[in-house]
Amino acid sequence: QVQLVESGGGLVQTGGSLRLSCAASGRTFSSYVMGWFRQAPGKEREFVAAISPSGGNAAYGDSVKGRFTISRENAKNTMYLQMNSLKPEDTAVYYCAAARRAVVTVVLDGLKDYDYWGQGTQVTVSS
């Protein structure tokens, strides 16, 4: 089992940057596909980005492509989301998620693909 803890959220102005972190427990972090999702008030949770267990492959939601970058440090059991050029519509609670997979190159973009979730961190972008 994996426990996930997000950090790094906060209040930022339009055009600013934030870096989110997701720390995972356990000794098999490198076996997990990791993902970021977000949920704004009154909206469904949506896919933001995902990274393969090896870190070699990544996928992004259309609304964040070119602005957000996902990365991971398996030696530190940590995943990151660098968010640049933030917009008010990026305001949401951001969740990290994990799914154990044997194939180290796979990325997953579906909510139901993930087995473990963090508690979320709030990101607010002011206009």
Side-chain angles (χ1 to χ4, degrees), residues 34-117:
M34 299 298 296
W36 288 101
F37 291 78
R38 67 186 182 186
Q39 188 166 19
K43 295 188 177 182
E44 294 184 350
R45 194 170 297 190
E46 67 169 351
F47 172 72
V48 174
I51 189 165
S52 61
S54 67
N57 292 329
Y60 296 91
D62 289 341
S63 61
V64 306
K65 283 180 182 176
R67 300 189 297 123
F68 291 11
T69 302
I70 190 171
S71 62
R72 65 191 295 164
E73 289 189 77
N74 285 346
K76 295 184 178 180
N77 282 17
T78 304
M79 172 182 65
Y80 306 98
L81 185 68
Q82 178 66 43
M83 305 186 294
N84 298 329
S85 303
L86 282 161
K87 306 174 182 179
E89 50 264 44
D90 294 317
T91 295
V93 178
Y94 284 71
Y95 298 90
C96 71
R100 186 161 187 168
R101 291 293 186 274
V103 178
V104 298
T105 57
V106 70
V107 290
L108 302 168
D109 62 1
L111 280 169
K112 295 182 179 180
D113 293 326
Y114 289 86
D115 305 305
Y116 304 100
W117 293 84

Side-chain angles (χ1 to χ4, degrees), residues 6-10 18-21 83 121-123:
E6 303 96 335
S7 61
L18 280 175
R19 189 175 82 153
L20 305 183
S21 299
M83 305 186 294
T121 186
Q122 177 70 47
V123 171

